[in-house]
Amino acid sequence: MMTLISSIMISFIVPMLVMIIASILSKKSINDREKSSPFECGFDPKSSARMPFSLQFFLIAVIFLIFDVEIALILPIVIIMKTSNIMMWTASTMFFVLILLIGLYYEWKQGALNWAN
């Protein structure tokens, strides 16, 4: 019992010490404006170093991720069809597909699927 308590104490104390030492050693002593600005051959930058981010690209990427996860969730539904109650399987599958279709309709009405803009 004593070894369990000592191992739990060690597993809490050692990471805390490592985090404290890392936070002490990683502090910057001087915040210099030149060092924190983007490097451009020693001169002040002419324009912003950051490129504008396309919100349309972000929305399409999120929609792709949602439908990618949808496919990962639909694949096991076909496999469990043989081993489950057919009425419960049909109801749960239709409910899942209905939620996805409502989400697609919402994205369509919000204009996230318009490629022309």
Side-chain angles (χ1 to χ4, degrees):
M1 183 66 177
M2 200 59 175
T3 58
L4 178 65
I5 293 173
S6 62
S7 65
I8 290 173
M9 293 288 286
I10 289 173
S11 67
F12 280 115
I13 291 173
V14 170
M16 291 301 285
L17 286 175
V18 170
M19 286 191 294
I20 290 171
I21 291 171
S23 68
I24 290 171
L25 293 178
S26 68
K27 297 290 183 193
K28 289 184 179 180
S29 59
I30 300 172
N31 286 336
D32 189 12
R33 186 181 76 83
E34 291 296 325
K35 287 184 179 178
S36 63
S37 67
F39 180 73
E40 194 172 312
C41 300
F43 299 105
D44 288 332
K46 294 181 180 179
S47 63
S48 175
R50 301 196 185 273
M51 306 240 343
F53 185 72
S54 172
L55 186 61
Q56 184 74 20
F57 172 76
F58 177 74
L59 289 176
I60 296 298
V62 169
I63 290 170
F64 171 76
L65 286 175
I66 289 170
F67 285 107
D68 192 37
V69 170
E70 166 199 341
I71 295 299
L73 292 173
I74 284 179
L75 285 176
I77 289 176
V78 176
I79 296 171
I80 65 168
M81 181 177 75
K82 294 178 185 175
T83 60
S84 65
N85 183 2
I86 194 70
M87 291 300 290
M88 287 299 291
W89 179 84
T90 304
S92 62
T93 304
M94 289 301 156
F95 182 69
F96 181 70
V97 171
L98 181 68
I99 289 174
L100 292 173
L101 288 175
I102 290 171
L104 179 64
Y105 178 74
Y106 177 76
E107 290 290 332
W108 184 21
K109 283 299 183 185
Q110 290 295 319
L113 301 177
N114 292 337
W115 287 78
N117 292 338

